[in-house]
């Protein structure tokens, strides 16, 4: 099993450009989510999904879109990149257990917006 | 909304000293998880606590969940350089599988 795979690992964008961060998991997890990590701010939830066709907003959703057409994939789209979106992005997945299940994280994407 | 506060933000220790990070929630939690992130890496799950007053040990790491299920701590005995990283707590409320993360405590171990 590859676990949670994120691509690309690094990306530099110009302000106003759009791009998609890819996330795929091969563990048949129902729950998938996207976090951004900024220095001193911990992990902040952007969007999440509890199953194919179902998505919802997290704490910091503005400027990002997601979709979940399959169980395996959960791409994150930046519509018009801004310098404030410079961050490290992590995708995570887990089973949808009653008491909560451990999250498996991808290796992250370091994004710089100039 | 639910908030999870974690202190301290940073902790410098000499190798061999003990280390503790504390997590406090504004609401009662159903369970709490702990993760470790090595420098340049991604968070990795360490443990989940579910029961009031629960204490779990993993070698030199001791995890506690408060009686009121609103606070938790991670204690490392006799730190080693391999313990370097950021430790996050993540709290879940009843029926939710969406954990709220604390801001993390970065542990720096000086040899």
């Amino acid at each position: 099993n590859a676990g949670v795979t994120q691509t690309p690992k690094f990306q530099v964008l110009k302000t106003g450009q759009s791009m998609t961060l890819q996330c795929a998991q091969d563990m048949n997890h129902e729950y998938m989510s996207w976090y951004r990590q900024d220095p001193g701010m911990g992990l902040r939830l952007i969007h999440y999904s509890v199953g194919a066709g179902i998505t919802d907003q997290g704490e910091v959703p503005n400027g990002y879109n997601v979709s979940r057409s399959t169980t395996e994939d959960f791409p994150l789209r930046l519509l018009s990149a801004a310098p404030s979106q410079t961050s490290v992005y992590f995708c995570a997945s887990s089973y949808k257990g009653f008491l909560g299940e451990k999250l498996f994280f991808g290796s992250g994407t370091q994004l710089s917006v100039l | 909304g639910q908030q999870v506060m974690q202190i301290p933000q940073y902790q410098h220790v000499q190798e061999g000293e003990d280390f503790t990070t504390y997590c406090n929630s504004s609401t009662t939690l159903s369970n709490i998880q702990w993760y470790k992130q090595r420098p340049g890496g991604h968070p990795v799950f360490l443990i989940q606590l579910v029961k009031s007053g629960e204490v779990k040990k993993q070698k030199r790491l001791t995890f506690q969940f408060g009686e009121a299920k609103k606070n938790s701590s991670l204690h490392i005995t006799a730190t080693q350089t391999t313990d370097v990283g950021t430790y996050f707590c993540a709290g879940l409320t009843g029926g939710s599988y969406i954990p709220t993360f604390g801001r993390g405590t970065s542990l720096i171990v000086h040899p």
Side-chain angles (χ1 to χ4, degrees), chain A residues 31 35 37 39-43 45 48 50 90 94-108, chain B residues 9-10 30-31 33 35 37 40-45 48 50 86 88 92 95-99 101-104:
Chain A
Y31 174 72
Y35 292 86
Q37 184 174 31
M41 297 299 291
L43 295 160
L45 183 65
Y48 65 96
V50 299
F90 289 102
S94 75
Y95 290 110
K96 198 172 67 175
F98 176 70
L99 280 179
E101 298 286 339
K102 63 181 180 181
L103 293 177
F104 291 81
F105 284 85
S107 57
Chain B
Q9 185 174 358
Y10 299 97
S30 59
N31 53 342
Q33 299 172 344
Y35 294 80
Q37 182 179 25
H42 59 276
V44 175
F45 175 84
Q48 177 167 274
V50 178
T86 300
F88 292 98
L92 291 94
S96 172
Y97 20 78
I98 306 167
F101 280 83
R103 293 191 175 188

Side-chain angles (χ1 to χ4, degrees), chain A residues 1-7 9 22-27 29 31-37 42-47 88-95 101-109, chain B residues 33-38 40-47 86-92 97-102:
Chain A
N1 286 352
V4 180
T5 302
Q6 280 186 245
T7 56
K9 291 190 182 300
Q22 301 292 345
C23 176
Q25 53 90 11
D26 61 359
M27 297 173 281
H29 286 167
Y31 174 72
M32 296 186 74
S33 53
W34 277 101
Y35 292 86
R36 61 176 289 173
Q37 184 174 31
L43 295 160
R44 292 186 292 170
L45 183 65
I46 304 171
H47 285 286
V88 179
Y89 292 84
F90 289 102
C91 178
S93 73
S94 75
Y95 290 110
E101 298 286 339
K102 63 181 180 181
L103 293 177
F104 291 81
F105 284 85
S107 57
T109 296
Chain B
Q33 299 172 344
W34 285 91
Y35 294 80
K36 176 183 179 180
Q37 182 179 25
R38 296 183 185 274
H42 59 276
V44 175
F45 175 84
L46 293 176
I47 206 162
T86 300
Y87 294 85
F88 292 98
C89 62
L92 291 94
Y97 20 78
I98 306 167
T100 299
F101 280 83

Side-chain angles (χ1 to χ4, degrees), chain B:
Chain B
Q2 178 191 351
Q3 290 188 342
V4 175
M5 308 300 292
Q6 191 174 354
I7 57 170
Q9 185 174 358
Y10 299 97
Q11 184 77 58
H12 290 256
V13 299
Q14 291 294 129
E15 189 173 17
E17 291 182 336
D18 292 356
F19 160 78
T20 304
T21 174
Y22 301 91
C23 207
N24 287 285
S25 170
S26 56
T27 59
T28 302
L29 302 171
S30 59
N31 53 342
I32 194 159
Q33 299 172 344
W34 285 91
Y35 294 80
K36 176 183 179 180
Q37 182 179 25
R38 296 183 185 274
H42 59 276
V44 175
F45 175 84
L46 293 176
I47 206 162
Q48 177 167 274
L49 305 175
V50 178
K51 298 176 183 178
S52 169
E54 189 170 16
V55 178
K56 286 189 175 180
K57 293 189 175 184
Q58 290 180 349
K59 297 182 179 179
R60 294 177 295 104
L61 278 62
T62 301
F63 304 84
Q64 293 188 337
F65 201 9
E67 294 290 341
K69 301 184 76 173
K70 296 182 76 172
N71 58 77
S72 182
S73 65
L74 158 59
H75 180 83
I76 302 178
T77 303
T79 55
Q80 300 175 357
T81 54
T82 54
D83 296 325
V84 165
T86 300
Y87 294 85
F88 292 98
C89 62
L92 291 94
T93 54
S96 172
Y97 20 78
I98 306 167
T100 299
F101 280 83
R103 293 191 175 188
T105 297
S106 293
L107 172 63
I108 301 100
V109 180
H110 299 278

